[in-house]
Amino acid sequence: MFDFTIFILILPLLSFLILGIGGKWIKPVIAGYIGSISLGIITILSYATAWMYFTLPRLADGTFEKLMPYNEVWLRFTNTLHFDLGILLDPISVMMLVVITTVSFMVHIYSLGYMKGEQGFQRYYAFLSLFTMSMLGLVVATNIFQMYLFWELVGVSSYLLIGFYYTKPAAIAASKKAFIVTRFADLGFLIGILIYGFYGDTFGFNPVLGPHEELGTGTLPALALGLMFIGGAGKSAMFPLHIWLPDAMEGPTPVSALIHAATMVVAGVYLVARMFPLFIGYAPGVLEIIGWVGAFTALFAAVIACVQTDIKRVLAFSTISQIGFMMVALGVCTSDDPHTGGLGYMASMFHLFTHAMFKALLFLGAGSIIHAVHSNEMSAMGGLRKYMPVTHITFLIACLAIAGIPPLSGFVSKDEILTACFSYSPVMGWVMTGIAGLTAFYMFRLYYNIFWGGEVSHGNLAVAPRHPHESPVSMLFPLIFLALVTCVAGFIPFGKFISSNGQAYDIHLNTTIAVTSVIVAVIAIGVATWMYMRPSRTVAQKLAQRFSGLHKDAYNRFYIDNIYQFVTHRIIFGCISTPIAWFDRHVVDGFFNFLAWGANVASEGLKGFQSGRVQQYAIVFLCGAVALVLLLIL
């Protein structure tokens, strides 16, 4: 009954081919409509899939799997080890279909206004279709190898979209940086897959790994799953592989919304969730490491976000921090029993869902602001609430949601994570509560600097009006829609549909933890209000001067990029690559050049015998014959 789901992958692929190959002959507005209508149909199919899946009777384990085509194996290595292509529907893959198509559809509609008049409009929509298809293929993959195939397509698509403005050096550098960093991470992912496949004799997600007992004992399962997590850490921008994500803001703002909300950066979280039974059964220690890596990343990114001045980079570091929350929620799970440890699994998936909506809203709201003032810097903003009322209200809703203010969706999903953290360790619980407070602070710092503060000359007056204006309807509709979803998504009985072992789980907020987190958030918002709401306040400047060292370090992202530059250029290139290059040029090339020189010298000496003169040949032949006769006689 789910055979129609194959069109969820086919339609964006067709859209990509039509716009990519025939875009030269298609008018830009028609290209936009083709891409948007295609995504609209895919969204309807995804909603229909979710409705049927969660309402109709399902298999005992809650999965539906169909191989393409005709349930045939594509490539067989052994009886159990084979590579298939198909569609796997289970609670988290169906949930991801809804998330990806909803956000992507809103981005397609929004782009009709935001990207209007841009050169390469058809190419932009072709790349959006490819990106969406790649992520949809990733989440419905029936095995880890198929996931890896679409995983790499997501990387290629992000490279194309981040570097869309290919005439800008910064955009080209950002696209290459994203591609290279994630490729290094994906090398670990690939090695982990090969270890898993070789010793487990399967590429499936089944926790029963096969006849090789050594994978069920010892360090091999932890090694394989740990290497797979490296790939997830690269895609989800976990420390220290986070450096590509802030620079990826050089791409169009709707692309940033798609990357951050529903596609690339959540792929790592989805990978850990998909492999969760394996982590629980064979490598719980790795799962704990994932939790602490997520906690450090969340704190690290939140501190940096507190001092950034580019509004898109504030949101970028916010995404890194929120992805850290999702990783922490998975890492603190002690079992797949929803009453003992599986709460974190459900909370992580719930936060992935709610975060996708309000983070897309934040990025699209930022795009609306940039569209009005022609600048990303807060210094070019201030007092915009009077000129952009719809953008102001929707942006405020998103800020309240990510800050964890009830009854918005971010409050419910965040507090489920905090509850899981306190169940795991009070230390982890208080650390994450503090990070949630930092989140509320930097988001309202951003909000007040944009919509309140003092009046400024908005943007570049040569190209922007003195008074910014509200965005067109094509841009406002996605903002309003996502704001409404953000308001109501917290009331979804998420645990009834998604849990670590398929059993229904009722969401019960821990009153003590919820009240504490709300108090922390309100205090953080109050501090931000005191520091940034009125333009006459100089508290922020005085604090920046008082803690100038920390402020400078945080503004420069704690120089992690500089460390990478030093390691790659000075150590790898200077101390390793340069001597190797010298050896290659002078020793290896010199040896082969010597062989060529020797052959040339020998040919110069021998070519006289190939003169073509018969008399010379006869004399040589006669002398040789005489020499042989004399040799035989003597």
Side-chain angles (χ1 to χ4, degrees):
M1 61 182 174
F2 290 107
D3 288 352
F4 67 89
T5 55
I6 187 62
F7 292 102
I8 295 175
L9 298 182
I10 291 176
L11 287 177
L13 178 61
L14 290 177
S15 176
F16 165 68
L17 294 175
I18 292 170
L19 298 178
I21 297 174
K24 181 179 179 181
W25 298 279
I26 300 175
K27 292 182 179 180
V29 65
I30 301 300
Y33 287 143
I34 291 175
S36 300
I37 292 172
S38 172
L39 250 297
I41 296 172
I42 296 165
T43 303
I44 293 172
L45 293 177
S46 297
Y47 280 36
T49 301
W51 175 261
M52 292 172 60
Y53 181 84
F54 288 119
T55 58
L56 297 180
R58 290 178 275 162
L59 300 178
D61 61 352
T63 62
F64 171 84
E65 181 176 335
K66 182 175 179 62
L67 301 182
M68 301 295 176
Y70 311 117
N71 292 317
E72 294 291 335
V73 173
W74 278 58
L75 184 62
R76 184 177 296 280
F77 301 103
T78 67
N79 288 334
T80 57
L81 184 62
H82 47 81
F83 171 47
D84 309 316
L85 288 177
I87 290 178
L88 172 66
L89 299 180
D90 69 349
I92 59 172
S93 65
V94 173
M95 181 269 292
M96 288 300 298
L97 288 179
V98 173
V99 170
I100 294 167
T101 54
T102 299
V103 175
S104 184
F105 185 40
M106 292 300 106
V107 167
H108 275 71
I109 296 174
Y110 183 92
S111 298
L112 292 172
Y114 188 87
M115 299 296 291
K116 184 178 181 180
E118 289 280 0
Q119 185 178 2
F121 191 82
Q122 301 93 321
R123 174 169 53 91
Y124 170 80
Y125 269 91
F127 292 164
L128 279 186
S129 296
L130 178 63
F131 199 5
T132 305
M133 184 275 294
S134 302
M135 191 63 194
L136 291 170
L138 188 155
V139 299
V140 298
T142 60
N143 58 81
I144 193 66
F145 215 99
Q146 181 185 346
M147 178 185 280
Y148 182 75
L149 173 66
F150 285 97
W151 186 277
E152 294 305 306
L153 278 175
V154 168
V156 172
S157 306
S158 66
Y159 169 80
L160 295 172
L161 284 169
I162 295 169
F164 175 77
Y165 297 118
Y166 60 86
T167 57
K168 293 174 56 179
I172 297 302
S175 63
K176 291 191 293 185
K177 187 175 184 179
F179 191 79
I180 292 170
V181 171
T182 53
R183 293 293 73 68
F184 274 102
D186 291 352
L187 175 62
F189 188 16
L190 178 59
I191 295 173
I193 291 173
L194 296 178
I195 295 173
Y196 172 68
F198 180 78
Y199 288 101
D201 206 25
T202 180
F203 288 131
F205 300 123
N206 194 325
V208 180
L209 293 181
H212 296 275
E213 293 183 359
E214 60 266 32
L215 189 60
T217 61
T219 60
L220 282 173
L223 176 62
L225 293 169
L227 288 170
M228 290 184 195
F229 171 67
I230 292 176
K235 276 287 193 291
S236 290
M238 293 290 98
F239 182 89
L241 300 172
H242 66 282
I243 58 172
W244 66 269
L245 190 57
D247 290 357
M249 298 303 96
E250 295 295 336
T253 302
V255 171
S256 301
L258 191 56
I259 289 177
H260 286 249
T263 52
M264 188 169 179
V265 295
V266 300
V269 179
Y270 181 80
L271 170 66
V272 177
R274 170 58 70 202
M275 307 296 287
F276 185 77
L278 291 167
F279 279 104
I280 285 291
Y282 295 92
V286 175
L287 205 57
E288 290 192 76
I289 293 173
I290 291 173
W292 287 107
V293 168
F296 179 81
T297 302
L299 176 60
F300 178 83
V303 171
I304 296 176
C306 289
V307 299
Q308 296 299 302
T309 58
D310 183 316
I311 63 173
K312 287 180 66 177
R313 280 178 168 76
V314 173
L315 296 179
F317 281 104
S318 170
T319 298
I320 296 173
S321 184
Q322 294 300 302
I323 296 296
F325 270 84
M326 300 174 205
M327 288 293 190
V328 168
L330 291 170
V332 299
C333 292
T334 56
S335 74
D336 63 353
D337 183 351
H339 297 290
T340 58
L343 168 63
Y345 178 95
M346 185 277 294
S348 178
M349 295 297 97
F350 195 13
H351 198 59
L352 188 156
F353 179 84
T354 60
H355 174 265
M357 302 306 163
F358 59 70
K359 184 51 63 71
L361 176 56
L362 285 168
F363 266 107
L364 296 183
S368 179
I369 295 160
I370 295 168
H371 186 264
V373 303
H374 297 268
S375 175
N376 291 20
E377 291 293 326
M378 294 183 194
S379 58
M381 302 168 191
L384 292 180
R385 69 188 187 282
K386 294 183 291 186
Y387 307 108
M388 309 178 71
V390 177
T391 301
H392 168 234
I393 295 300
T394 55
F395 199 91
L396 176 59
I397 290 172
C399 288
L400 290 169
I402 195 173
I405 301 300
L408 301 175
S409 59
F411 161 73
V412 182
S413 59
K414 180 209 66 177
D415 272 81
E416 289 293 294
I417 292 177
L418 294 181
T419 301
C421 290
F422 275 104
S423 298
Y424 172 77
S425 164
V427 174
M428 180 68 85
W430 284 112
V431 167
M432 299 311 295
T433 300
I435 298 171
L438 277 178
T439 303
F441 172 78
Y442 68 67
M443 286 308 304
F444 275 84
R445 169 183 176 266
L446 177 67
Y447 165 74
Y448 285 122
N449 277 313
I450 294 173
F451 295 104
W452 293 77
E455 290 280 344
V456 296
S457 298
H458 296 291
N460 182 355
L461 296 183
V463 296
R466 174 70 182 180
H467 299 300
H469 55 83
E470 190 59 275
S471 298
V473 175
S474 62
M475 296 170 63
L476 293 181
F477 171 75
L479 298 181
I480 297 170
F481 178 83
L482 291 170
L484 292 174
V485 174
T486 299
C487 291
V488 303
F491 298 100
I492 297 174
F494 202 79
K496 296 287 186 181
F497 305 110
I498 294 176
S499 64
S500 58
N501 60 3
Q503 299 178 7
Y505 182 84
D506 293 325
I507 295 178
H508 296 296
L509 290 177
N510 185 304
T511 305
T512 303
I513 295 174
V515 170
T516 303
S517 68
V518 171
I519 291 173
V520 170
V522 170
I523 292 173
I525 294 172
V527 172
T529 303
W530 175 57
M531 293 176 63
Y532 298 105
M533 184 175 180
R534 295 183 181 179
S536 59
R537 297 287 188 187
T538 60
V539 179
Q541 290 83 349
K542 289 180 179 179
L543 285 174
Q545 294 172 1
R546 177 69 177 82
F547 302 98
S548 58
L550 178 60
H551 183 276
K552 181 180 178 181
D553 292 343
Y555 183 80
N556 289 289
R557 312 176 194 178
F558 293 102
Y559 302 100
I560 301 298
D561 290 77
N562 303 74
I563 294 173
Y564 274 108
Q565 290 287 340
F566 176 81
V567 170
T568 54
H569 287 79
R570 296 293 182 87
I571 297 179
I572 296 179
F573 294 155
C575 301
I576 300 177
S577 299
T578 300
I580 292 175
W582 182 92
F583 181 84
D584 180 64
R585 286 194 300 268
H586 293 85
V587 178
V588 178
D589 289 353
F591 174 72
F592 284 99
N593 289 338
F594 172 77
L595 292 179
W597 174 82
N600 188 53
V601 171
S603 68
E604 289 289 338
L606 294 173
K607 69 181 182 180
F609 291 102
Q610 298 293 331
S611 63
R613 291 179 292 187
V614 178
Q615 297 91 335
Q616 180 183 2
Y617 294 166
I619 292 172
V620 172
F621 178 78
L622 179 61
C623 291
V626 171
L628 287 174
V629 171
L630 292 175
L631 182 63
L632 292 173
I633 293 175
L634 297 177

